[in-house]
Amino acid sequence: MNSAGPIVVGFDGSDVAGRAVTWAAHAAEAQGAQLLVVNAADRMRYIPDASVGFWTPDLAHEAATKVAERGMELAREVAPDVEVTHNVSLSSPALTLEELSADARQIVVGNTGHGRIAGILLGSTAFHVATHAQCPVTVIPSGPCPQPGPEHRVSVASDGSPSATRAVKHAANIAGRRNAPLEILTVWEFPYFGGQGMPLGGYMSMEQAAEKSTEWATKFAEEARREALQEQPGLTVTTQVLEGRPQDVLADASADSALLVVGARGRGDLRSLLLGSTSRALLHHAQCAVEIVR
């Protein structure tokens, strides 16, 4: 991630991509950043596709440029003071945005677009970029998507892991820039029974296991609150300690937020994974914009 780099947004002309451009333009305005609107024509294929028809590189580049320029116009309508430029590629959107992420401060992408499969929960481009980008990635839903602000809070998931700590600090800075309240969500899952009918983890009873899990979750929430206030003194910060499967509880909680910030990997995920199971699930099921932080 380049903290001085532009915010990069993918735009393919679809409605959700238009919402991504609007979101990115407001984010660039709040951060004093440049905005780069990208259209990737996805024409570099080894096997000709009958559904694509005949084309030449020049015509493909011209068509992609027109799409990118429409995205620039959308951005300027909502944030006229932001410096907006465009980038055009004949490669795939996923690979183009992944490459640009090395010098970007943030990637913004809609969760679906003009892909070949309609109705899926999460488009392949959004999933690829969220998994492989080298900077924070914001995935914009197809439904209503308010901007963070005094009436629309930022939420962040915290489980005490290093990835969650980075997410908390990142979310605190977003909330501070947008004058939005910050909500810290910590979720504990009721422990499973072991082979002898006892809870896993060496606890003497399910009641003890639940009590200790709640205690640890509360501790993580308070630590996260202190981290947020150290990052942004004066920020309005609340905490919630909830029980259930993290991906389900967080997805439900996201309905009342403008943005849900999560770390790429949590305490329970394998270190080798590029994206943890909870983060992956939230990209599919969260009811607001989701920002993945590494």
Side-chain angles (χ1 to χ4, degrees), residues 135-137 163 166-168 170-171 261-265 291-294:
C135 65
V137 175
S163 182
R166 291 189 290 272
V168 167
H170 187 79
V261 182
V262 294
R265 289 190 299 273
E291 190 153 328
I292 304 292
V293 178
R294 285 179 168 74

Side-chain angles (χ1 to χ4, degrees), residues 234-252:
L235 190 66
T236 299
V237 183
T238 59
T239 63
Q240 279 205 73
V241 176
L242 305 167
E243 183 270 324
R245 295 179 69 233
Q247 53 264 50
D248 296 335
V249 173
L250 293 170
D252 289 343

Side-chain angles (χ1 to χ4, degrees), residues 169-185:
K169 293 179 179 180
H170 187 79
N173 285 321
I174 294 173
R177 286 193 297 266
R178 301 294 192 95
N179 194 27
L182 178 67
E183 176 187 55
I184 296 169
L185 300 169

Side-chain angles (χ1 to χ4, degrees), residues 147-232:
Q147 295 287 327
E151 304 301 323
H152 299 287
R153 67 174 176 245
V154 175
S155 295
V156 59
S158 177
D159 62 2
S161 66
S163 182
T165 296
R166 291 189 290 272
V168 167
K169 293 179 179 180
H170 187 79
N173 285 321
I174 294 173
R177 286 193 297 266
R178 301 294 192 95
N179 194 27
L182 178 67
E183 176 187 55
I184 296 169
L185 300 169
T186 304
V187 183
W188 66 274
E189 189 169 2
F190 208 85
Y192 295 100
F193 285 101
Q196 303 299 318
M198 298 294 289
L200 298 177
Y203 297 109
M204 297 302 295
S205 66
M206 295 300 289
E207 290 75 14
Q208 184 190 44
E211 180 182 346
K212 288 296 182 182
S213 296
T214 304
E215 182 181 314
W216 278 104
T218 302
K219 177 176 179 291
F220 293 148
E222 288 304 315
E223 288 177 350
R225 184 176 184 276
R226 287 194 294 271
E227 290 162 354
L229 290 173
Q230 286 176 357
E231 197 74 16
Q232 287 285 332

Side-chain angles (χ1 to χ4, degrees), residues 4-16:
I7 292 176
V8 176
V9 58
F11 181 70
D12 62 4
S14 65
D15 289 343
V16 69

